[in-house]
Amino acid sequence: MFKVWIDAGHGGKDPGAVANGIQEKDIVLNVSIGIKNRLEADYEKVQVLLSRSTDVFLELRDRTAKANAAGADILVSIHCNAGGGKGGFESFRYTSASENSIKLQDKLHKAIMGKLGGIDRGQKAQNLHMVRESKMPAVLTENLFVDVVDDADRLKQASVIDAIIDGHVQGIAAYLGLVQKTKEDKPLSQRDINVPSKWAEVTWEEVTANGYFDGTRPGAMITREETAIVTNRLRKNFLKLIAGINGNVADMDERLKKIEKEN
Ligand SMILES: [Zn+2]
């Protein structure tokens, strides 16, 4: 079981950067909780521990002390930026970072940029407490600028927060070599029954277009009655095929019954 430490920057009396109606502490908390939920739901053998899961203040030394004591395999500290020209994304490792910290930064940075797009400010090194005092490979991400209007507008969109979460999840999974859970492993209670599984998408669309299913609730359990309806649609189509009937005919049912008796 891998232990991933996610550190949401700031909190409580320390809002972090504040501008354009955004507080950094709120964005990074949402992102951190999103990373935990998605990593644990989608990947095998990974546990995500959080510096904070609510709006509380924590000293920097307490954050790294807890992560070190927990024996986390990696640490990612989540922040939003301020005070920099045109905005964009950048990431930080320690100035004399380990090989693994450099590798973690590279995987994270590329995965996040891939999802987020926009300005890439680069993979940087700086003497920051969170990446210096963490005993495990550690990276700090600066996810857009709250004081750049374009970036702030993006941070207000759920799809952008989602992209930031997704990028972190993919980067962490790539670094640790995590195995994705197959959809079948997910209990029915944890999946959205209205969304078809990735592997079933094409078939579901085809079978719906051909009128065997009505297209609703792809992930729901099937009853004997529903099986009967689908079987009956199949049976009618076979009979039509045998009779050489194309399209809808007014007396279809009668004709099919006749064919059925004859065969
Ligand atoms: Zn910050």
Side-chain angles (χ1 to χ4, degrees):
M1 183 69 79
F2 287 107
K3 275 187 196 168
V4 172
W5 195 278
I6 298 292
D7 173 61
H10 314 279
K13 67 182 183 188
D14 168 20
V18 180
N20 296 305
I22 293 177
Q23 298 194 95
E24 179 185 357
K25 68 173 183 177
D26 299 329
I27 303 273
V28 298
L29 181 59
N30 279 343
V31 167
S32 299
I33 291 169
I35 294 169
K36 176 179 169 66
N37 290 343
R38 207 163 301 173
L39 252 184
E40 290 180 348
D42 290 353
Y43 292 89
E44 308 271 6
K45 297 186 177 112
V46 63
Q47 182 189 12
V48 179
L49 303 167
L50 302 171
S51 289
R52 64 183 182 95
S53 56
T54 56
D55 183 19
V56 291
F57 176 77
L58 293 164
E59 296 286 356
L60 291 180
R61 62 175 177 274
D62 293 333
R63 297 166 186 258
T64 45
K66 277 190 205 166
N68 290 338
D73 294 290
I74 60 168
L75 179 145
V76 185
S77 186
I78 317 287
H79 288 257
C80 293
N81 231 328
K86 293 179 189 143
F89 174 81
E90 63 190 3
S91 60
F92 291 94
R93 62 181 184 274
Y94 182 44
T95 39
S96 52
S98 65
E99 280 297 309
N100 284 335
S101 283
I102 295 168
K103 192 180 150 198
L104 174 62
Q105 181 183 26
D106 190 56
K107 296 278 185 196
L108 269 173
H109 192 100
K110 284 175 181 161
I112 296 163
M113 274 312 301
K115 291 283 172 188
L116 196 55
I119 298 169
D120 186 347
R121 296 170 56 92
Q123 303 188 24
K124 300 178 176 176
Q126 202 168 304
N127 184 11
L128 302 169
H129 173 97
M130 289 307 299
V131 290
R132 183 185 65 240
E133 299 301 326
S134 298
K135 290 200 177 99
M136 65 296 298
V139 172
L140 185 146
T141 61
E142 290 281 4
N143 302 278
L144 305 181
F145 284 69
V146 298
D147 61 349
V148 172
V149 174
D150 283 353
D151 276 12
D153 285 345
R154 293 190 73 196
L155 286 170
K156 287 171 188 168
Q157 294 169 34
S159 63
V160 171
I161 299 300
D162 216 51
I164 294 171
I165 293 169
D166 240 12
H168 281 82
V169 166
Q170 284 194 8
I172 291 166
Y175 173 81
L176 292 174
L178 298 179
V179 176
Q180 209 161 1
K181 282 182 188 169
T182 53
K183 291 291 179 187
E184 291 93 322
D185 289 341
K186 273 196 188 175
L188 213 53
S189 59
Q190 272 183 29
R191 70 169 286 186
D192 181 353
I193 62 158
N194 298 309
V195 178
S197 301
K198 274 270 169 277
W199 54 267
E201 267 176 4
V202 173
T203 307
W204 180 252
E205 220 171 275
E206 198 176 335
V207 111
T208 301
N210 284 316
Y212 289 104
F213 286 89
D214 64 8
T216 64
R217 297 175 300 119
M221 299 287 266
I222 193 161
T223 63
R224 291 165 68 92
E225 295 153 310
E226 287 165 332
T227 312
I229 286 168
V230 174
T231 310
N232 209 33
R233 283 174 187 159
L234 263 170
R235 177 183 137 268
K236 284 188 179 176
N237 279 347
F238 274 122
L239 290 172
K240 275 198 261 181
L241 199 66
I242 293 164
I245 301 169
N246 289 315
N248 286 316
V249 182
D251 59 346
M252 178 87 79
D253 278 342
E254 266 172 47
R255 286 174 70 176
L256 291 181
K257 267 178 202 150
K258 220 169 148 192
I259 298 158
E260 209 169 9
K261 270 179 201 160
E262 287 164 9
N263 286 278

PDB file of all heavy atoms in Angstrom, residues 62-86:
ATOM      1  N   ASP A  62       4.649  21.578  11.312  1.00  0.00           N
ATOM      2  CA  ASP A  62       3.716  20.509  11.700  1.00  0.00           C
ATOM      3  C   ASP A  62       3.319  19.657  10.497  1.00  0.00           C
ATOM      4  O   ASP A  62       3.109  18.446  10.618  1.00  0.00           O
ATOM      5  CB  ASP A  62       2.468  21.096  12.355  1.00  0.00           C
ATOM      6  CG  ASP A  62       2.795  21.746  13.695  1.00  0.00           C
ATOM      7  OD1 ASP A  62       3.791  21.321  14.324  1.00  0.00           O
ATOM      8  OD2 ASP A  62       2.077  22.684  14.101  1.00  0.00           O
ATOM      9  N   ARG A  63       3.202  20.297   9.362  1.00  0.00           N
ATOM     10  CA  ARG A  63       2.829  19.576   8.138  1.00  0.00           C
ATOM     11  C   ARG A  63       3.894  18.543   7.775  1.00  0.00           C
ATOM     12  O   ARG A  63       3.580  17.374   7.535  1.00  0.00           O
ATOM     13  CB  ARG A  63       2.664  20.561   6.964  1.00  0.00           C
ATOM     14  CG  ARG A  63       1.547  21.570   7.169  1.00  0.00           C
ATOM     15  CD  ARG A  63       1.645  22.718   6.162  1.00  0.00           C
ATOM     16  NE  ARG A  63       0.649  23.758   6.446  1.00  0.00           N
ATOM     17  CZ  ARG A  63      -0.490  23.907   5.779  1.00  0.00           C
ATOM     18  NH1 ARG A  63      -0.772  23.111   4.778  1.00  0.00           N
ATOM     19  NH2 ARG A  63      -1.339  24.852   6.112  1.00  0.00           N
ATOM     20  N   THR A  64       5.152  18.969   7.722  1.00  0.00           N
ATOM     21  CA  THR A  64       6.217  18.035   7.332  1.00  0.00           C
ATOM     22  C   THR A  64       6.487  17.011   8.437  1.00  0.00           C
ATOM     23  O   THR A  64       6.774  15.853   8.145  1.00  0.00           O
ATOM     24  CB  THR A  64       7.516  18.786   6.964  1.00  0.00           C
ATOM     25  OG1 THR A  64       7.764  19.800   7.939  1.00  0.00           O
ATOM     26  CG2 THR A  64       7.407  19.426   5.592  1.00  0.00           C
ATOM     27  N   ALA A  65       6.354  17.435   9.714  1.00  0.00           N
ATOM     28  CA  ALA A  65       6.570  16.491  10.820  1.00  0.00           C
ATOM     29  C   ALA A  65       5.562  15.345  10.742  1.00  0.00           C
ATOM     30  O   ALA A  65       5.924  14.171  10.909  1.00  0.00           O
ATOM     31  CB  ALA A  65       6.458  17.209  12.160  1.00  0.00           C
ATOM     32  N   LYS A  66       4.295  15.685  10.450  1.00  0.00           N
ATOM     33  CA  LYS A  66       3.246  14.655  10.357  1.00  0.00           C
ATOM     34  C   LYS A  66       3.489  13.724   9.175  1.00  0.00           C
ATOM     35  O   LYS A  66       3.330  12.511   9.285  1.00  0.00           O
ATOM     36  CB  LYS A  66       1.872  15.321  10.193  1.00  0.00           C
ATOM     37  CG  LYS A  66       1.243  15.765  11.497  1.00  0.00           C
ATOM     38  CD  LYS A  66      -0.189  16.181  11.235  1.00  0.00           C
ATOM     39  CE  LYS A  66      -0.698  17.168  12.263  1.00  0.00           C
ATOM     40  NZ  LYS A  66      -1.938  17.825  11.844  1.00  0.00           N
ATOM     41  N   ALA A  67       3.845  14.299   8.033  1.00  0.00           N
ATOM     42  CA  ALA A  67       4.078  13.487   6.830  1.00  0.00           C
ATOM     43  C   ALA A  67       5.274  12.553   7.037  1.00  0.00           C
ATOM     44  O   ALA A  67       5.224  11.380   6.666  1.00  0.00           O
ATOM     45  CB  ALA A  67       4.323  14.389   5.620  1.00  0.00           C
ATOM     46  N   ASN A  68       6.327  13.074   7.675  1.00  0.00           N
ATOM     47  CA  ASN A  68       7.515  12.245   7.946  1.00  0.00           C
ATOM     48  C   ASN A  68       7.180  11.122   8.926  1.00  0.00           C
ATOM     49  O   ASN A  68       7.586   9.978   8.735  1.00  0.00           O
ATOM     50  CB  ASN A  68       8.650  13.108   8.500  1.00  0.00           C
ATOM     51  CG  ASN A  68       9.232  14.044   7.443  1.00  0.00           C
ATOM     52  OD1 ASN A  68       9.099  13.792   6.243  1.00  0.00           O
ATOM     53  ND2 ASN A  68       9.848  15.123   7.884  1.00  0.00           N
ATOM     54  N   ALA A  69       6.418  11.462   9.981  1.00  0.00           N
ATOM     55  CA  ALA A  69       6.047  10.458  10.995  1.00  0.00           C
ATOM     56  C   ALA A  69       5.153   9.372  10.404  1.00  0.00           C
ATOM     57  O   ALA A  69       5.213   8.212  10.813  1.00  0.00           O
ATOM     58  CB  ALA A  69       5.341  11.142  12.171  1.00  0.00           C
ATOM     59  N   ALA A  70       4.342   9.749   9.438  1.00  0.00           N
ATOM     60  CA  ALA A  70       3.417   8.777   8.822  1.00  0.00           C
ATOM     61  C   ALA A  70       4.148   7.848   7.855  1.00  0.00           C
ATOM     62  O   ALA A  70       3.590   6.847   7.416  1.00  0.00           O
ATOM     63  CB  ALA A  70       2.307   9.518   8.090  1.00  0.00           C
ATOM     64  N   GLY A  71       5.379   8.194   7.519  1.00  0.00           N
ATOM     65  CA  GLY A  71       6.137   7.374   6.564  1.00  0.00           C
ATOM     66  C   GLY A  71       5.552   7.426   5.168  1.00  0.00           C
ATOM     67  O   GLY A  71       5.531   6.416   4.459  1.00  0.00           O
ATOM     68  N   ALA A  72       5.093   8.604   4.787  1.00  0.00           N
ATOM     69  CA  ALA A  72       4.510   8.751   3.443  1.00  0.00           C
ATOM     70  C   ALA A  72       5.571   8.488   2.374  1.00  0.00           C
ATOM     71  O   ALA A  72       6.755   8.766   2.585  1.00  0.00           O
ATOM     72  CB  ALA A  72       3.938  10.161   3.272  1.00  0.00           C
ATOM     73  N   ASP A  73       5.141   7.915   1.241  1.00  0.00           N
ATOM     74  CA  ASP A  73       6.065   7.610   0.144  1.00  0.00           C
ATOM     75  C   ASP A  73       6.395   8.835  -0.690  1.00  0.00           C
ATOM     76  O   ASP A  73       7.497   8.942  -1.231  1.00  0.00           O
ATOM     77  CB  ASP A  73       5.455   6.523  -0.757  1.00  0.00           C
ATOM     78  CG  ASP A  73       5.339   5.205  -0.016  1.00  0.00           C
ATOM     79  OD1 ASP A  73       6.397   4.608   0.254  1.00  0.00           O
ATOM     80  OD2 ASP A  73       4.210   4.802   0.320  1.00  0.00           O
ATOM     81  N   ILE A  74       5.419   9.722  -0.831  1.00  0.00           N
ATOM     82  CA  ILE A  74       5.660  10.983  -1.534  1.00  0.00           C
ATOM     83  C   ILE A  74       4.830  12.074  -0.872  1.00  0.00           C
ATOM     84  O   ILE A  74       3.853  11.777  -0.160  1.00  0.00           O
ATOM     85  CB  ILE A  74       5.295  10.931  -3.050  1.00  0.00           C
ATOM     86  CG1 ILE A  74       3.814  10.590  -3.254  1.00  0.00           C
ATOM     87  CG2 ILE A  74       6.176   9.948  -3.795  1.00  0.00           C
ATOM     88  CD1 ILE A  74       3.333  10.805  -4.687  1.00  0.00           C
ATOM     89  N   LEU A  75       5.208  13.327  -1.117  1.00  0.00           N
ATOM     90  CA  LEU A  75       4.423  14.468  -0.623  1.00  0.00           C
ATOM     91  C   LEU A  75       4.232  15.457  -1.766  1.00  0.00           C
ATOM     92  O   LEU A  75       5.174  15.766  -2.492  1.00  0.00           O
ATOM     93  CB  LEU A  75       5.142  15.143   0.544  1.00  0.00           C
ATOM     94  CG  LEU A  75       4.454  16.385   1.159  1.00  0.00           C
ATOM     95  CD1 LEU A  75       4.680  16.441   2.667  1.00  0.00           C
ATOM     96  CD2 LEU A  75       4.914  17.692   0.506  1.00  0.00           C
ATOM     97  N   VAL A  76       2.984  15.913  -1.902  1.00  0.00           N
ATOM     98  CA  VAL A  76       2.704  16.972  -2.875  1.00  0.00           C
ATOM     99  C   VAL A  76       1.983  18.095  -2.146  1.00  0.00           C
ATOM    100  O   VAL A  76       0.953  17.866  -1.504  1.00  0.00           O
ATOM    101  CB  VAL A  76       1.844  16.478  -4.063  1.00  0.00           C
ATOM    102  CG1 VAL A  76       1.686  17.595  -5.105  1.00  0.00           C
ATOM    103  CG2 VAL A  76       2.463  15.237  -4.711  1.00  0.00           C
ATOM    104  N   SER A  77       2.582  19.291  -2.192  1.00  0.00           N
ATOM    105  CA  SER A  77       1.986  20.452  -1.543  1.00  0.00           C
ATOM    106  C   SER A  77       1.285  21.297  -2.605  1.00  0.00           C
ATOM    107  O   SER A  77       1.881  21.637  -3.622  1.00  0.00           O
ATOM    108  CB  SER A  77       3.081  21.256  -0.834  1.00  0.00           C
ATOM    109  OG  SER A  77       2.501  22.308  -0.099  1.00  0.00           O
ATOM    110  N   ILE A  78       0.010  21.582  -2.352  1.00  0.00           N
ATOM    111  CA  ILE A  78      -0.830  22.227  -3.368  1.00  0.00           C
ATOM    112  C   ILE A  78      -1.018  23.715  -3.044  1.00  0.00           C
ATOM    113  O   ILE A  78      -1.476  24.053  -1.941  1.00  0.00           O
ATOM    114  CB  ILE A  78      -2.229  21.561  -3.431  1.00  0.00           C
ATOM    115  CG1 ILE A  78      -2.140  20.030  -3.369  1.00  0.00           C
ATOM    116  CG2 ILE A  78      -3.018  22.050  -4.648  1.00  0.00           C
ATOM    117  CD1 ILE A  78      -1.621  19.359  -4.596  1.00  0.00           C
ATOM    118  N   HIS A  79      -0.697  24.556  -4.002  1.00  0.00           N
ATOM    119  CA  HIS A  79      -0.846  26.012  -3.832  1.00  0.00           C
ATOM    120  C   HIS A  79      -1.387  26.645  -5.098  1.00  0.00           C
ATOM    121  O   HIS A  79      -1.391  26.032  -6.165  1.00  0.00           O
ATOM    122  CB  HIS A  79       0.511  26.652  -3.509  1.00  0.00           C
ATOM    123  CG  HIS A  79       0.994  26.341  -2.126  1.00  0.00           C
ATOM    124  ND1 HIS A  79       0.929  27.234  -1.099  1.00  0.00           N
ATOM    125  CD2 HIS A  79       1.517  25.189  -1.619  1.00  0.00           C
ATOM    126  CE1 HIS A  79       1.405  26.656   0.005  1.00  0.00           C
ATOM    127  NE2 HIS A  79       1.769  25.412  -0.285  1.00  0.00           N
ATOM    128  N   CYS A  80      -1.849  27.914  -4.938  1.00  0.00           N
ATOM    129  CA  CYS A  80      -2.100  28.772  -6.090  1.00  0.00           C
ATOM    130  C   CYS A  80      -1.145  29.942  -5.970  1.00  0.00           C
ATOM    131  O   CYS A  80      -0.735  30.314  -4.879  1.00  0.00           O
ATOM    132  CB  CYS A  80      -3.543  29.271  -6.111  1.00  0.00           C
ATOM    133  SG  CYS A  80      -4.744  27.962  -6.388  1.00  0.00           S
ATOM    134  N   ASN A  81      -0.813  30.522  -7.091  1.00  0.00           N
ATOM    135  CA  ASN A  81       0.212  31.547  -7.179  1.00  0.00           C
ATOM    136  C   ASN A  81      -0.356  32.953  -7.082  1.00  0.00           C
ATOM    137  O   ASN A  81      -1.573  33.139  -7.194  1.00  0.00           O
ATOM    138  CB  ASN A  81       0.935  31.388  -8.520  1.00  0.00           C
ATOM    139  CG  ASN A  81       2.431  31.350  -8.349  1.00  0.00           C
ATOM    140  OD1 ASN A  81       2.968  31.982  -7.455  1.00  0.00           O
ATOM    141  ND2 ASN A  81       3.094  30.614  -9.222  1.00  0.00           N
ATOM    142  N   ALA A  82       0.527  33.922  -6.910  1.00  0.00           N
ATOM    143  CA  ALA A  82       0.165  35.343  -6.964  1.00  0.00           C
ATOM    144  C   ALA A  82       1.420  36.153  -7.240  1.00  0.00           C
ATOM    145  O   ALA A  82       2.533  35.700  -6.973  1.00  0.00           O
ATOM    146  CB  ALA A  82      -0.460  35.785  -5.650  1.00  0.00           C
ATOM    147  N   GLY A  83       1.209  37.333  -7.818  1.00  0.00           N
ATOM    148  CA  GLY A  83       2.319  38.271  -7.992  1.00  0.00           C
ATOM    149  C   GLY A  83       3.163  38.052  -9.218  1.00  0.00           C
ATOM    150  O   GLY A  83       4.287  38.540  -9.303  1.00  0.00           O
ATOM    151  N   GLY A  84       2.641  37.321 -10.190  1.00  0.00           N
ATOM    152  CA  GLY A  84       3.486  37.050 -11.355  1.00  0.00           C
ATOM    153  C   GLY A  84       2.820  37.309 -12.673  1.00  0.00           C
ATOM    154  O   GLY A  84       1.970  36.544 -13.096  1.00  0.00           O
ATOM    155  N   GLY A  85       3.209  38.327 -13.318  1.00  0.00           N
ATOM    156  CA  GLY A  85       2.867  38.729 -14.685  1.00  0.00           C
ATOM    157  C   GLY A  85       1.664  38.093 -15.338  1.00  0.00           C
ATOM    158  O   GLY A  85       0.528  38.445 -15.046  1.00  0.00           O
ATOM    159  N   LYS A  86       1.922  37.123 -16.232  1.00  0.00           N
ATOM    160  CA  LYS A  86       0.859  36.643 -17.121  1.00  0.00           C
ATOM    161  C   LYS A  86       0.132  35.422 -16.581  1.00  0.00           C
ATOM    162  O   LYS A  86      -0.815  34.938 -17.204  1.00  0.00           O
ATOM    163  CB  LYS A  86       1.456  36.309 -18.491  1.00  0.00           C
ATOM    164  CG  LYS A  86       1.973  37.538 -19.231  1.00  0.00           C
ATOM    165  CD  LYS A  86       2.567  37.108 -20.571  1.00  0.00           C
ATOM    166  CE  LYS A  86       3.292  38.288 -21.246  1.00  0.00           C
ATOM    167  NZ  LYS A  86       4.510  37.864 -21.960  1.00  0.00           N
TER     168      LYS A  86
END
